[in-house]
Amino acid sequence: MSNEAAVAQNRTASPAPASLGSAAAPLGYLALGLTLLAFGLLSTGVLNGAGVKDAGSLALFVGGVTLFVSGLLEFRGGSAATGTAFLALGAFWVTWAQAAPAGKDATGLFLLLWALLALTLTLAHWSGGDLVRGVYALFTVALVLLAVSTLGGNETVGKAAGWVAAAAGLLAWYSATSALAGGAWGRVSLPVR
Protein backbone atom coordinates (compact mmCIF):
# COMPACT_ATOMS: atom_id res chain seq x y z
CA MET A 1 0.00 0.00 0.00
CA SER A 2 1.42 3.38 -0.95
CA ASN A 3 1.95 6.09 1.63
CA GLU A 4 -0.80 8.23 0.06
CA ALA A 5 -3.28 5.35 0.20
CA ALA A 6 -2.44 4.74 3.88
CA VAL A 7 -3.03 8.41 4.71
CA ALA A 8 -6.35 8.35 2.86
CA GLN A 9 -7.39 5.17 4.67
CA ASN A 10 -6.51 6.72 8.06
CA ARG A 11 -8.60 9.78 7.24
CA THR A 12 -11.65 7.68 6.48
CA ALA A 13 -11.12 5.39 9.48
CA SER A 14 -10.85 8.15 12.08
CA PRO A 15 -14.00 9.80 13.33
CA ALA A 16 -14.63 13.29 12.07
CA PRO A 17 -14.03 15.99 14.65
CA ALA A 18 -17.11 17.55 16.20
CA SER A 19 -18.19 20.64 14.31
CA LEU A 20 -18.89 24.03 15.82
CA GLY A 21 -19.44 25.73 12.47
CA SER A 22 -16.83 26.74 9.95
CA ALA A 23 -13.09 26.32 10.36
CA ALA A 24 -12.81 29.53 12.43
CA ALA A 25 -15.28 28.42 15.12
CA PRO A 26 -12.77 26.53 17.30
CA LEU A 27 -10.44 29.55 17.30
CA GLY A 28 -13.31 31.81 18.30
CA TYR A 29 -14.45 29.49 21.07
CA LEU A 30 -10.88 29.15 22.35
CA ALA A 31 -10.55 32.95 22.46
CA LEU A 32 -13.92 33.30 24.17
CA GLY A 33 -13.13 30.50 26.62
CA LEU A 34 -9.74 31.84 27.68
CA THR A 35 -11.05 35.38 28.02
CA LEU A 36 -14.09 34.33 30.04
CA LEU A 37 -11.96 32.09 32.23
CA ALA A 38 -9.50 34.89 33.02
CA PHE A 39 -12.26 37.47 33.45
CA GLY A 40 -14.24 35.11 35.68
CA LEU A 41 -11.36 34.02 37.89
CA LEU A 42 -10.16 37.59 38.31
CA SER A 43 -13.71 38.58 39.31
CA THR A 44 -13.85 36.00 42.08
CA GLY A 45 -11.04 37.49 44.12
CA VAL A 46 -9.37 34.06 44.30
CA LEU A 47 -6.08 35.63 43.17
CA ASN A 48 -4.79 38.08 45.77
CA GLY A 49 -4.02 41.55 44.48
CA ALA A 50 -5.58 40.93 41.05
CA GLY A 51 -8.83 42.23 39.67
CA VAL A 52 -10.89 42.28 36.51
CA LYS A 53 -8.99 45.22 35.03
CA ASP A 54 -5.80 43.10 35.15
CA ALA A 55 -7.26 41.07 32.27
CA GLY A 56 -7.39 44.16 30.05
CA SER A 57 -4.74 43.10 27.52
CA LEU A 58 -6.16 39.58 27.29
CA ALA A 59 -9.65 41.02 26.84
CA LEU A 60 -8.46 43.41 24.14
CA PHE A 61 -6.31 41.11 22.02
CA VAL A 62 -7.61 37.59 22.64
CA GLY A 63 -11.22 38.41 23.45
CA GLY A 64 -11.55 41.42 21.18
CA VAL A 65 -9.32 41.13 18.15
CA THR A 66 -9.27 37.32 17.85
CA LEU A 67 -13.04 37.03 18.25
CA PHE A 68 -13.59 39.83 15.73
CA VAL A 69 -11.39 38.13 13.12
CA SER A 70 -13.04 34.76 13.86
CA GLY A 71 -16.43 36.40 13.39
CA LEU A 72 -15.47 37.75 9.98
CA LEU A 73 -14.24 34.29 8.95
CA GLU A 74 -17.46 32.71 10.23
CA PHE A 75 -19.52 35.12 8.10
CA ARG A 76 -17.34 34.29 5.12
CA GLY A 77 -17.98 30.60 5.80
CA GLY A 78 -21.74 31.19 5.83
CA SER A 79 -22.43 31.03 9.58
CA ALA A 80 -24.44 34.13 10.43
CA ALA A 81 -25.20 33.11 14.03
CA THR A 82 -21.61 32.32 15.02
CA GLY A 83 -20.27 35.25 12.99
CA THR A 84 -22.64 37.60 14.78
CA ALA A 85 -21.71 36.10 18.15
CA PHE A 86 -17.97 36.46 17.64
CA LEU A 87 -18.14 39.97 16.15
CA ALA A 88 -20.45 41.22 18.91
CA LEU A 89 -18.43 39.58 21.68
CA GLY A 90 -15.23 40.94 20.14
CA ALA A 91 -16.78 44.41 20.38
CA PHE A 92 -17.77 43.70 24.00
CA TRP A 93 -14.24 42.74 25.04
CA VAL A 94 -12.61 45.67 23.19
CA THR A 95 -15.05 48.04 24.86
CA TRP A 96 -14.51 46.42 28.26
CA ALA A 97 -10.72 46.63 27.92
CA GLN A 98 -10.64 50.21 26.64
CA ALA A 99 -13.52 51.83 28.53
CA ALA A 100 -12.71 54.69 30.82
CA PRO A 101 -13.93 54.21 34.37
CA ALA A 102 -17.63 54.99 34.42
CA GLY A 103 -20.11 55.41 37.21
CA LYS A 104 -21.89 52.40 38.64
CA ASP A 105 -25.16 53.21 36.88
CA ALA A 106 -23.53 53.47 33.45
CA THR A 107 -21.50 50.30 34.03
CA GLY A 108 -24.57 48.42 35.30
CA LEU A 109 -26.58 49.50 32.24
CA PHE A 110 -23.70 48.46 29.95
CA LEU A 111 -23.67 45.00 31.54
CA LEU A 112 -27.46 44.63 31.30
CA LEU A 113 -27.45 45.57 27.62
CA TRP A 114 -24.71 43.03 26.91
CA ALA A 115 -26.68 40.46 28.91
CA LEU A 116 -29.51 41.01 26.40
CA LEU A 117 -27.04 40.31 23.60
CA ALA A 118 -25.84 37.14 25.37
CA LEU A 119 -29.48 36.05 25.75
CA THR A 120 -30.00 36.60 22.02
CA LEU A 121 -26.90 34.48 21.32
CA THR A 122 -28.25 31.75 23.61
CA LEU A 123 -31.49 31.63 21.65
CA ALA A 124 -29.71 31.86 18.27
CA HIS A 125 -27.56 28.85 19.18
CA TRP A 126 -30.37 26.81 20.69
CA SER A 127 -29.91 24.02 18.17
CA GLY A 128 -26.11 24.35 18.20
CA GLY A 129 -25.55 21.81 20.95
CA ASP A 130 -25.68 21.73 24.71
CA LEU A 131 -22.14 22.98 25.31
CA VAL A 132 -22.35 25.98 22.99
CA ARG A 133 -25.81 26.87 24.26
CA GLY A 134 -24.45 26.50 27.82
CA VAL A 135 -21.60 28.92 27.11
CA TYR A 136 -23.97 31.68 26.08
CA ALA A 137 -26.54 30.89 28.79
CA LEU A 138 -23.91 30.99 31.54
CA PHE A 139 -22.44 34.18 30.09
CA THR A 140 -25.93 35.73 30.18
CA VAL A 141 -26.30 34.80 33.85
CA ALA A 142 -22.81 36.11 34.65
CA LEU A 143 -23.55 39.47 33.01
CA VAL A 144 -26.87 39.83 34.86
CA LEU A 145 -25.17 38.99 38.17
CA LEU A 146 -22.37 41.47 37.42
CA ALA A 147 -24.93 44.16 36.62
CA VAL A 148 -26.80 43.47 39.87
CA SER A 149 -23.49 43.50 41.76
CA THR A 150 -22.44 46.78 40.15
CA LEU A 151 -25.78 48.54 40.60
CA GLY A 152 -26.28 47.27 44.15
CA GLY A 153 -22.68 47.39 45.29
CA ASN A 154 -22.81 43.72 46.33
CA GLU A 155 -19.35 42.17 46.14
CA THR A 156 -20.60 38.65 46.94
CA VAL A 157 -22.89 38.66 43.90
CA GLY A 158 -19.94 39.91 41.83
CA LYS A 159 -17.82 36.98 42.98
CA ALA A 160 -20.63 34.56 42.13
CA ALA A 161 -20.78 36.16 38.67
CA GLY A 162 -17.07 35.49 38.31
CA TRP A 163 -17.51 31.79 39.00
CA VAL A 164 -20.37 31.59 36.49
CA ALA A 165 -18.23 33.38 33.86
CA ALA A 166 -15.34 30.99 34.59
CA ALA A 167 -17.70 28.01 34.09
CA ALA A 168 -18.80 29.50 30.75
CA GLY A 169 -15.13 29.89 29.82
CA LEU A 170 -14.41 26.26 30.62
CA LEU A 171 -17.35 25.14 28.47
CA ALA A 172 -16.18 27.30 25.55
CA TRP A 173 -12.62 26.02 25.91
CA TYR A 174 -13.81 22.41 26.06
CA SER A 175 -16.08 22.85 23.04
CA ALA A 176 -13.17 24.15 20.97
CA THR A 177 -10.74 21.53 22.25
CA SER A 178 -13.20 18.74 21.54
CA ALA A 179 -13.77 20.02 18.01
CA LEU A 180 -10.06 20.36 17.31
CA ALA A 181 -8.96 17.07 18.85
CA GLY A 182 -12.02 14.89 18.27
CA GLY A 183 -10.70 11.39 17.68
CA ALA A 184 -7.11 12.53 17.26
CA TRP A 185 -5.83 10.30 20.06
CA GLY A 186 -7.92 7.27 19.19
CA ARG A 187 -10.37 8.17 21.94
CA VAL A 188 -13.66 9.91 21.67
CA SER A 189 -13.93 13.14 23.63
CA LEU A 190 -17.11 14.03 25.41
CA PRO A 191 -19.71 15.00 22.83
CA VAL A 192 -20.08 18.63 21.85
CA ARG A 193 -23.79 18.16 21.28
Side-chain angles (χ1 to χ4, degrees):
M1 180 182 294
S2 73
N3 194 23
E4 292 170 358
V7 170
Q9 183 180 4
N10 283 340
R11 274 190 226 156
T12 58
S14 11
S19 175
L20 295 175
S22 80
L27 173 63
Y29 282 107
L30 278 174
L32 179 60
L34 295 176
T35 307
L36 278 172
L37 193 55
F39 175 80
L41 289 176
L42 290 170
S43 296
T44 65
V46 74
L47 302 171
N48 290 334
V52 173
K53 284 296 180 186
D54 293 321
S57 293
L58 180 73
L60 175 62
F61 293 109
V62 176
V65 174
T66 304
L67 276 167
F68 192 84
V69 170
S70 296
L72 291 175
L73 293 171
E74 282 292 299
F75 272 122
R76 184 171 185 252
S79 178
T82 306
T84 299
F86 291 166
L87 285 171
L89 292 173
F92 170 80
W93 291 116
V94 167
T95 304
W96 186 263
Q98 297 299 304
K104 73 176 188 168
D105 291 341
T107 303
L109 176 62
F110 173 82
L111 291 167
L112 284 174
L113 292 174
W114 285 97
L116 285 175
L117 169 77
L119 178 61
T120 299
L121 297 177
T122 303
L123 297 173
H125 288 83
W126 201 257
S127 64
D130 295 336
L131 289 176
V132 173
R133 184 174 50 242
V135 169
Y136 294 121
L138 287 172
F139 189 41
T140 302
V141 172
L143 288 170
V144 169
L145 289 174
L146 278 172
V148 168
S149 170
T150 301
L151 294 169
N154 188 326
E155 192 175 308
T156 303
V157 173
K159 288 181 180 184
W163 288 112
V164 174
L170 282 174
L171 282 180
W173 167 82
Y174 181 79
S175 295
T177 302
S178 177
L180 288 171
W185 300 309
R187 290 176 275 203
V188 177
S189 56
L190 292 176
V192 177
R193 182 104 185 110

